[in-house]
């Protein structure tokens, strides 16, 4: 008698499989996305006072410090490989992007390439910094 077929149960995976987490920094133009990106990645991406200073996404890889991971490395005396987070500075979204204003569909393709989002909101009133709606 032939052996019975073994049924292999597939595990359902949520999200994209992989060990490299990508986070996108998004928000309206001139709210401080590139400044935030520079602060958390120690980069020097231009952060100018005009809309769409960032056209192409900037990308940086940052080590994530974790005391629990350090403890495990010392406990098992293994080679220390830190956890990394890839952060992407994405250009601002403007009203009417669905009709082609601003970067339009390019913005959507940049958003679909990341696993999570940092949404930066303008929480300051400075006449020297141009507002996207001229308000």
């Amino acid at each position: 008698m032939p052996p019975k077929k073994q049924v292999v149960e597939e595990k359902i995976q949520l999200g994209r499989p992989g060990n490299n987490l990508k986070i996108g920094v998004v928000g309206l133009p001139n709210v401080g996305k590139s400044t935030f990106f520079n602060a958390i990645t120690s980069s020097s991406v231009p952060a100018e006072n005009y809309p769409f200073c960032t056209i192409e996404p900037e990308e940086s890889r940052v080590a994530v410090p974790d005391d629990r991971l350090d403890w495990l490395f010392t406990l098992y005396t293994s080679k220390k490989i830190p956890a990394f987070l890839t952060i992407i500075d994405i250009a601002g979204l403007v009203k009417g992007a669905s009709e082609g204003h601003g970067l339009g569909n390019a913005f959507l393709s940049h958003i679909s390439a990341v696993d999570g989002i940092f949404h930066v909101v303008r929480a300051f009133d400075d006449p020297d910094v141009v507002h996207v709606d001229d308000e």
Side-chain angles (χ1 to χ4, degrees):
M1 181 178 222
K4 292 184 179 181
K5 263 189 174 177
Q6 291 184 353
V7 178
V8 177
E9 186 177 321
E10 289 187 36
K11 293 183 180 179
I12 298 173
Q13 291 184 341
L14 299 176
R16 287 184 282 248
N19 58 359
N20 189 10
L21 185 62
K22 290 185 177 183
I23 300 291
V25 180
V26 299
L28 292 173
N30 287 357
V31 296
K33 295 180 303 298
S34 294
T35 303
F36 176 70
F37 178 81
N38 287 337
I40 60 177
T41 62
S42 300
S43 299
S44 59
V45 171
E48 304 297 331
N49 187 16
Y50 59 88
F52 301 109
C53 173
T54 303
I55 301 291
E56 289 299 316
E58 295 288 338
E59 187 172 315
S60 184
R61 196 166 172 224
V62 178
V64 180
D66 189 352
D67 293 336
R68 299 168 299 174
L69 189 58
D70 293 339
W71 181 81
L72 287 172
F73 286 134
T74 56
L75 180 67
Y76 294 104
T77 60
S78 64
K79 182 180 174 187
K80 185 174 181 180
I81 302 171
F84 283 99
L85 176 66
T86 303
I87 302 172
I88 302 171
D89 183 15
I90 299 174
L93 182 64
V94 294
K95 187 188 297 183
S98 60
E99 288 103 35
H101 298 281
L103 295 180
N105 289 335
F107 176 83
L108 296 176
S109 69
H110 298 151
I111 289 291
S112 65
V114 298
D115 300 309
I117 297 173
F118 285 131
H119 187 187
V120 181
V121 180
R122 182 176 176 146
F124 60 90
D125 189 26
D126 187 350
D128 294 335
V129 179
V130 179
H131 192 279
V132 68
D133 291 333
D134 292 326
E135 294 177 359

